[in-house]
Amino acid sequence: HFSSNEEHRIGLFYRLAMEGITYLLADSLESMKDACSNKGKVAEGENSKKKGGFNPKRLLVVGGGSKNELWRQMLADVLDLDLCFPLEAERAAL
């Protein structure tokens, strides 16, 4: 049996793990954006507006963690994307 102090500590570690994963995901998305930013760029003398690239507007969140309301909110706050959740969270492989 855990004391209230131990339960608080366990909850804190759980939250820290979710935050860490969330920020790693944000960093990975930013790396993908950076890696794709030079693809399809118009020549310098012309309009330098980017074409194509990787610029997601929404993210499909699947798996067991997608059912956690706290983590859903963390993802929405940090990633600043529309999040989509399948009706069946455990259908990640389909």
Side-chain angles (χ1 to χ4, degrees):
H1 198 69
F2 295 109
S3 70
S4 63
N5 190 30
E6 290 171 322
E7 288 177 7
H8 176 73
R9 192 175 317 151
I10 290 169
L12 180 61
F13 284 125
Y14 184 67
R15 183 183 177 109
L16 290 172
M18 288 192 301
E19 286 180 1
I21 293 167
T22 299
Y23 281 102
L24 284 171
L25 180 57
D27 187 55
S28 295
L29 285 171
E30 200 59 38
S31 293
M32 288 191 292
K33 287 179 189 178
D34 290 345
C36 295
S37 66
N38 292 328
K39 292 184 178 181
K41 194 172 182 181
V42 177
E44 274 307 316
E46 305 172 29
N47 184 359
S48 61
K49 187 176 180 181
K50 294 178 189 175
K51 291 183 179 178
F54 180 75
N55 192 21
K57 304 288 185 251
R58 61 185 165 186
L59 181 69
L60 177 63
V61 184
V62 297
S66 68
K67 294 183 269 186
N68 185 298
E69 290 295 326
L70 175 61
W71 199 31
R72 285 180 173 203
Q73 189 62 55
M74 284 182 192
L75 290 168
D77 292 343
V78 172
L79 301 178
D80 196 29
L81 294 172
D82 290 332
L83 302 180
C84 303
F85 304 94
L87 295 176
E88 296 290 330
E90 301 300 331
R91 303 272 176 140
L94 298 179

